[in-house]
Amino acid sequence: MAFVNSILPWTDAPVRENANLVAHLSEHLPAAWLRYLPASITLFVDREVSETAVSQFLHGMAEHLRCELDRRITRQSRFVSLGLLTADEVEAFLTQRTAAQPWAIYFSKNGGLGRRKSGRGEADGSRGVIPCSTMQNHGVAWAQAEDGRLRIWLATARREGCDWDWESDIGHESAHAAFAQVPLFVQAFPQIGENVLSDIANAGELQPIHITQMIYLYSEIAVVAMRGESRATATGLPVANPAELDALLRLSAELAGNLGFERATQTCERSEGMIGVNHGDEIFEIAAPILRIIPHLTQFTNDREPPTLHVFEKALASAGRPSMLRGA
């Protein structure tokens, strides 16, 4: 595949670039599955990385995505068979917003995102990348164009000094870029504790930190639900404890109306907050209403600050009207 000499957008480091990785993947995946991929996938490669290493990466990526997409399609059908979402709803959720956040994969010579000064809480510069607090090789990058517009990427590298982790670096990250985008403000917000929501009595008390946490958890739960990605937490999900999960569902129901959140809350209570993502129906019952509201939050993906409570509530409430998932 062809590369051109370029620069890494968030550091200006010299790299080789292929901006159309989807075309390469189309040669290795069933044509009908391409609609599930992020619409824009760019591979940046440090000039010190050998062509052999790049070829091995591309082969491994294609092989893993074949397994990854097959798994998602299987789990997609569970939402339908359980009567939680229609086939059209789930299909639209997975395919209608694949262009919302370009995916930038960075094959750095030693691993890592190659970041310089940018860090959490520093999203006000003209360019940079903010890593995930727990996965420093995953993050959100941005660069401001001459016309003032902000370009945002989901940025992915391998861990420093490590090989590619196909499940984490390709499976998990491709899911985020395709249907559960990570807003810039989620990464930029200072470190959020594990029990942010559980002390909130009602939605009227929500502050920017709580709204940020809710949007972050929606995105992560959607990914683990569609992938069957269990976490080593008290809930089995990317939620620290059952009280935080209960609060997330309770507050969401208050803001968005039912949309399935009543059933999700009951599921959380019945399971005592421990959700097996690869057995039982609970993960699908909890994730279904979240899949309904995520499309209404995609508008915030490129924002440096979380929406106000009024705007957030309005976005969630809109999910109760004729759904974006149905193409309305």
Side-chain angles (χ1 to χ4, degrees), residues 115-264:
R115 66 193 184 99
R116 293 177 180 172
K117 295 181 180 179
S118 300
R120 296 190 66 83
E122 297 181 19
D124 55 349
S126 62
R127 66 181 66 242
V129 61
I130 302 176
C132 173
S133 59
T134 58
M135 294 291 292
Q136 294 286 300
N137 53 313
H138 299 168
V140 176
W142 75 96
Q144 192 162 356
E146 292 183 0
D147 61 6
R149 290 184 300 176
L150 201 64
R151 297 187 64 196
I152 301 290
W153 297 266
L154 186 78
T156 304
R158 58 196 174 98
R159 285 182 182 270
E160 291 190 22
C162 297
D163 291 332
W164 290 94
D165 182 330
W166 301 119
E167 279 290 305
S168 175
D169 301 335
I170 300 303
H172 181 89
E173 290 287 272
S174 66
H176 271 305
F179 59 78
Q181 291 77 23
V182 181
L184 177 58
F185 65 81
V186 166
Q187 295 297 92
F189 213 93
Q191 184 68 45
I192 298 176
E194 294 183 341
N195 298 293
V196 172
L197 303 175
S198 54
D199 292 332
I200 300 298
N202 58 71
E205 297 181 1
L206 293 173
Q207 299 297 317
I209 189 173
H210 307 118
I211 294 170
T212 299
Q213 178 74 337
M214 291 177 73
I215 292 175
Y216 163 72
L217 292 177
Y218 293 151
S219 175
E220 291 293 333
I221 290 172
V223 168
V224 302
M226 293 306 307
R227 301 193 66 238
E229 181 186 319
S230 182
R231 296 292 183 86
T233 66
T235 63
L237 301 175
V239 187
N241 55 61
E244 190 80 348
L245 178 59
D246 177 76
L248 173 71
L249 300 175
R250 171 177 52 82
L251 293 166
S252 299
E254 185 177 346
L255 289 168
N258 187 3
L259 292 180
F261 279 112
E262 181 178 342
R263 179 173 179 177

Side-chain angles (χ1 to χ4, degrees), residues 46 48-49 106-113 158-162:
D46 276 348
E48 297 89 343
V49 176
Y106 178 34
F107 197 154
S108 49
K109 62 178 180 178
N110 297 318
L113 291 169
R158 58 196 174 98
R159 285 182 182 270
E160 291 190 22
C162 297

Side-chain angles (χ1 to χ4, degrees), residues 264-295:
T265 302
Q266 293 171 351
T267 296
C268 182
E269 293 174 354
R270 184 179 68 249
S271 64
E272 298 182 339
M274 180 58 196
I275 311 300
V277 300
N278 287 304
H279 62 271
D281 301 336
E282 288 85 0
I283 182 59
F284 301 98
E285 293 171 353
I286 284 175
I290 290 174
L291 266 59
R292 283 197 168 99
I293 62 177
I294 282 180

Side-chain angles (χ1 to χ4, degrees), residues 285-303:
E285 293 171 353
I286 284 175
I290 290 174
L291 266 59
R292 283 197 168 99
I293 62 177
I294 282 180
H296 300 264
L297 303 176
T298 307
Q299 60 185 302
F300 307 126
T301 298
N302 292 352
D303 292 353

